[in-house]
Amino acid sequence: AILGFAAWATPWAAMASLERFALVAALLPWLALAAETPLPGHSISNPPDISHLARMWHLTGTVMPSHRSLILTPGVAHRVGTVFSRTPLKTNDFEASFTFSATPKVPGQFDNDGFAFWLSEENSTAVLNDASIKHAHNQDELIAGSWLTSYTKAGMGLLGYKNNYKGVGVFFLNGKDGKTVSIKKNDGTLNPSIGSGLPDPNQLKLDYQSGADFKVKVRVKPDAIEVEIEGAGSLKLETNTQPGAYIGFSCYGGEKDTYNPVAERSAVVELKGLKLNNFASGQGEDMASAPEQPKALPTEKEDVLGAHSSFKDHRDESEAIKELTNMVFKLVIETKPQRDQMKSAIASLSKRIESIEKSFAALRVEIDKKTGHKLSEEFEAIKKELADINKVAANDHDARGKKLASLHNDIEHVHKSAASGGDISGHLETLSQSNEKVIDQLTNEHQRMFGVSLFVIAFIIIAGLSLYNKFRCWEKKHVL
């Protein structure tokens, strides 16, 4: 009986084993998902941690951390910026998710601006270091405006990074074909640029410069790379990937024929966080290079040496001078195009004024030849006579004013005498008659001067109209 029961139970045990195996196989994807681990060394918080950026990332050009985001470009044309990881990833099965915004001051003013997310097979820090020091951070070339030409000749002509890059780039471009998002792989043999090879046919039409926040997920697998933009679509690139990629961003502020850096700005691009998760087993990054979490101290410790050093004031002064120097340098660089434009406008205006002066001098000589006498000297004489008449009238008016003041004083004196007593009616009669004569004389002189003024004005008008008529007659006779 026992043997019969064992023979009956054996098939059911085998079926149970098969069910357990199927259950385990079905749970494998979920177990793999549960194995997802963050990669803090290759992530960027928002707002960014400055010490983490300095330790794990290589920043050049316009890239700068702020209190709310990592600014890739502040909207300055003809400028580039890059930020790349200093250490490679040790996995080829991970996801990079980041949020960005691009806000132009006036849309459509600049061409070929944009940025890219890179998966580089090369050490990007070593690639960029030499060109950045010699050109992008060279003060003399920045002032002269020649740095971009030298930077491009060094091979860095694709949004601030190599044209013949090795790896994969996700490009957010503002070109002649509009605003696009595309993905392209290069093994170093291609030399793409904006308008020539980019954007890639594998693209999405997206107005990423609307000022809104866009969430992007780049899923890297051993046999493919998928790019998903939340609410806008997705792209997929079938390619084999290997561990050891350096990740980062590069950007270019665009170009314009006539550019006023004070009033015009291209799109301000802000990176609002980057997060990486590893889906493979094992370490996805070098944990030795990952940023250490700061330990909370029980109490704050005072920097006694720094606070009480005799050189503290000198250090503060040096920092202030350094900051002021950087601000002045930035101001000089940004206002140089405007100053050059003002110099050119002033030089052009000076040439025009000189040409007008020469034309007036030639016209004066020609008029003197045709009339037989110097009209300019005659006009000067007329102006001098008018000035003399005005001066005489003013002097005469002052003299009469003085006489009236003297007369008023005499009248006041007479009133005082009358108040003291005595019969002065005869004197008042005489004084009243004298006052009437003076008033009549003043009225006559005023009328005479008014008539003389009217005559002079009429003479000037008639002379001007005669001269104008004469010029018109010469013009009709094709003399001028």
Side-chain angles (χ1 to χ4, degrees):
I2 295 173
L3 290 174
F5 177 78
W8 174 80
T10 300
W12 292 101
M15 291 178 62
S17 299
L18 289 174
E19 289 178 357
R20 285 196 297 269
F21 178 76
L23 181 61
V24 170
L27 290 175
L28 278 177
W30 298 99
L31 292 173
L33 185 62
E36 175 183 346
T37 56
L39 300 174
H42 288 76
S43 301
I44 299 175
S45 61
N46 190 48
D49 182 359
I50 298 177
S51 61
H52 172 58
L53 287 175
R55 184 177 182 182
M56 296 298 299
W57 297 85
H58 179 254
L59 282 65
T60 70
T62 59
V63 177
M64 67 186 80
S66 71
H67 66 281
R68 66 176 188 180
S69 63
L70 181 64
I71 299 175
L72 299 183
T73 173
V76 180
H78 308 291
R79 293 289 185 270
V80 298
T82 65
V83 51
F84 278 92
S85 61
R86 295 183 182 272
T87 58
L89 289 167
K90 294 185 175 182
T91 176
N92 63 341
D93 190 6
F94 64 93
E95 181 183 82
S97 58
F98 59 91
T99 303
F100 78 93
S101 67
T103 310
K105 186 173 183 180
V106 179
Q109 282 192 333
F110 295 83
D111 298 324
N112 298 334
D113 57 326
F115 72 99
F117 173 72
W118 298 96
L119 299 170
S120 175
E121 297 175 5
E122 302 175 281
N123 187 345
S124 304
T125 300
V127 170
L128 290 163
N129 193 51
D130 189 57
S132 298
I133 293 174
K134 289 183 178 180
H135 308 298
H137 298 167
N138 188 317
Q139 182 173 343
D140 295 333
E141 289 191 6
L142 286 171
I143 294 174
S146 61
W147 78 271
L148 186 57
T149 303
S150 303
Y151 192 81
T152 305
K153 286 182 178 179
M156 306 295 173
L158 183 56
L159 299 176
Y161 195 57
K162 290 178 64 175
N163 294 82
N164 58 338
Y165 63 93
K166 292 182 180 180
V168 178
V170 181
F171 301 94
F172 297 78
L173 301 177
N174 176 25
K176 294 181 180 179
D177 299 331
K179 299 176 179 65
T180 60
V181 182
S182 61
I183 182 171
K184 189 179 185 69
K185 182 177 182 179
N186 190 3
D187 58 0
T189 59
L190 303 178
N191 198 36
S193 61
I194 301 176
S196 177
L198 285 174
D200 194 79
N202 187 13
Q203 62 175 262
L204 287 174
K205 295 290 185 181
L206 176 65
D207 184 13
Y208 68 91
Q209 292 186 352
S210 62
D213 288 351
F214 289 92
K215 296 181 179 179
V216 182
K217 292 182 179 180
V218 180
R219 180 69 171 93
V220 179
K221 300 178 181 179
D223 57 351
I225 297 177
E226 299 174 359
V227 178
E228 180 185 353
I229 303 173
E230 188 175 296
S234 61
L235 298 169
K236 186 174 182 179
L237 176 66
E238 301 286 347
T239 181
N240 292 326
T241 62
Q242 299 295 330
Y246 293 81
I247 65 169
F249 295 84
S250 71
C251 62
Y252 178 53
E255 53 200 36
K256 190 180 180 186
D257 294 335
T258 57
Y259 173 51
N260 182 0
V262 177
E264 297 176 320
R265 285 284 186 271
S266 60
V268 179
V269 181
E270 298 180 70
L271 180 64
K272 301 179 180 180
L274 169 66
K275 184 179 180 181
L276 265 73
N277 290 321
N278 182 24
F279 290 91
S281 59
Q283 291 184 352
E285 63 182 356
D286 188 357
M287 297 307 295
S289 61
E292 298 178 355
Q293 296 296 329
K295 297 180 180 179
L297 297 176
T299 56
E300 292 188 3
K301 295 183 179 180
E302 181 184 2
D303 185 4
V304 179
L305 291 177
H308 300 282
S309 172
S310 59
F311 296 99
K312 180 178 181 297
D313 294 337
H314 295 285
R315 285 198 299 271
D316 295 342
E317 243 178 66
S318 299
E319 289 297 326
I321 293 173
K322 182 180 178 181
E323 184 178 354
L324 180 61
T325 304
N326 292 335
M327 291 176 62
V328 171
F329 175 69
K330 183 178 179 181
L331 179 63
V332 170
I333 291 299
E334 292 185 352
T335 58
K336 184 180 184 300
Q338 186 180 15
R339 288 186 282 113
D340 292 342
Q341 187 177 2
M342 290 176 62
K343 287 180 182 178
S344 177
I346 291 172
S348 176
L349 182 60
S350 300
K351 290 181 181 179
R352 290 182 181 180
I353 292 174
E354 290 177 0
S355 177
I356 292 173
E357 289 178 348
K358 290 179 181 178
S359 299
F360 272 116
L363 178 62
R364 187 187 306 168
V365 172
E366 192 66 27
I367 291 173
D368 292 343
K369 286 182 181 179
K370 298 299 180 182
T371 57
H373 51 88
K374 297 182 178 180
L375 293 178
S376 60
E377 295 182 358
E378 292 180 1
F379 274 115
E380 290 293 334
I382 292 173
K383 286 197 297 184
K384 186 177 180 181
E385 289 178 3
L386 288 175
D388 292 340
I389 291 172
N390 185 30
K391 185 177 180 181
V392 170
N395 292 335
D396 195 10
H397 181 269
D398 291 340
R400 282 172 173 74
K402 291 179 181 179
K403 288 182 179 179
L404 281 175
S406 177
L407 181 61
H408 283 296
N409 290 333
D410 292 340
I411 292 172
E412 187 178 357
H413 179 69
V414 169
H415 276 296
K416 290 180 180 179
S417 300
S420 62
D423 187 8
I424 58 170
S425 59
H427 294 288
L428 289 175
E429 183 76 21
T430 304
L431 185 60
S432 176
Q433 292 176 358
S434 177
N435 189 24
E436 289 178 357
K437 289 180 180 180
V438 171
I439 291 173
D440 292 339
Q441 187 177 1
L442 287 173
T443 304
N444 293 334
E445 288 294 331
H446 175 71
Q447 292 175 353
R448 184 173 67 82
M449 290 304 298
F450 182 72
V452 170
S453 300
L454 290 177
F455 174 74
V456 171
I457 293 171
F459 173 74
I460 293 172
I461 293 173
I462 293 171
L465 292 174
S466 300
L467 185 60
Y468 174 75
N469 188 32
K470 200 164 189 178
F471 285 163
R472 294 289 293 175
C473 292
W474 287 347
E475 184 179 356
K476 290 179 180 179
K477 293 178 181 181
H478 304 287
V479 174
L480 294 177

